[in-house]
Amino acid sequence: GGGKRELRAPGLSVWFRPDRTPEEASAFYGAELTIWPGPKERKEKRSLRAHLLIFRFDRQGRLAELQGMKSASFLREPLPPEKGAPQELDARNFVATFDPASGALASVDARGDVDYRQGLRHAAGERGTFQADRNRLALMKGRPSLEEQGTSRLTAERIEIDTVTGEVEARGYAQQTLFKSGSAPALVTGGAAADQATLISAASLR
């Protein structure tokens, strides 16, 4: 029921169980797995890239987990009629899990120098987790930050981004700097000049 998958890599090794079902596979020297949407899935192309991709299969030979090691990235690109800027998540390593029955991507757990970009939005942290069923990206560890180019910068202990609507929730000593007071309501800025920055602090911000 899932969409087509396409694997490109200069090298590939596959290990089989005694019953000839695949157990594990390694694609190396710069590998890329492209996942196309199924009939009932959101119209977007998803690509998982890394210097080394390690595939792990369940007892029925269905893909259950994918590990990306060294210069790993996860790219989401909308397909017509969906609109919006591509989204890319880079990290040192990641582990992606799949629903073996449907073949759909379930989650991505990225670690080490996590960097997220979409249009003018840029976020970073030491760890990032993406839940596909909720379209939710959570950044944590290393005081995550989210910057809207030329507009604001947000830091907190945990920042969650809805990758469809763009809504943001920050928790744990959240601080948002508005680079230009003119971009915020007067109630927040206290009448500060438009060229002055405004700092907002709270336990959580939404």
Side-chain angles (χ1 to χ4, degrees):
K4 180 182 69 173
R5 294 177 184 155
E6 182 179 11
L7 175 64
R8 293 180 179 270
L12 177 69
S13 296
V14 184
W15 291 265
F16 294 89
R17 296 185 177 89
D19 63 0
R20 297 187 180 181
T21 56
E23 180 176 13
E24 187 173 299
S26 295
F28 39 86
Y29 302 136
E32 178 177 359
L33 174 67
T34 301
I35 304 170
W36 299 87
K40 297 182 180 180
E41 296 177 333
R42 183 177 176 81
K43 299 302 179 184
E44 66 179 17
K45 181 176 72 171
R46 298 175 176 181
S47 302
L48 296 151
R49 306 167 180 164
H51 180 74
L52 171 64
L53 291 178
I54 300 175
F55 300 80
R56 296 187 175 91
F57 303 89
D58 68 5
R59 284 288 178 181
Q60 298 180 47
R62 302 174 301 185
L63 181 61
E65 182 180 284
L66 172 60
Q67 183 176 2
M69 302 179 67
K70 193 175 179 182
S71 301
S73 69
F74 171 45
L75 177 65
R76 303 175 67 195
E77 300 173 273
L79 300 173
E82 297 291 339
K83 298 179 180 179
Q87 302 176 55
E88 185 165 9
L89 182 71
D90 296 331
R92 288 199 206 115
N93 308 292
F94 71 72
V95 175
T97 60
F98 294 81
D99 179 349
S102 68
L105 177 68
S107 68
V108 178
D109 186 357
R111 304 193 180 213
D113 298 328
V114 177
D115 193 273
Y116 168 79
R117 296 179 302 280
Q118 182 186 26
L120 300 178
R121 175 173 281 185
H122 175 223
E126 277 303 301
R127 182 181 177 188
T129 60
F130 172 71
Q131 296 296 325
D133 60 341
R134 301 175 59 213
N135 288 299
R136 196 83 169 176
L137 172 65
L139 295 169
M140 61 209 84
K141 306 291 185 183
R143 191 66 182 171
S145 65
L146 171 64
E147 186 167 336
E148 304 281 356
Q149 187 175 347
T151 303
S152 66
R153 177 180 171 83
L154 173 67
T155 61
E157 293 179 5
R158 181 185 179 95
I159 296 176
E160 295 189 8
I161 304 169
D162 188 311
T163 59
V164 174
T165 66
E167 293 180 357
V168 176
E169 182 176 359
R171 297 199 298 268
Y173 189 49
Q175 290 189 315
Q176 184 170 29
T177 302
L178 305 175
F179 298 139
K180 294 183 179 180
S181 294
S183 63
L187 179 65
V188 174
T189 63
D195 60 349
Q196 290 182 329
T198 299
L199 175 64
I200 304 171
S201 297
S204 62
L205 288 172
R206 242 182 127 169

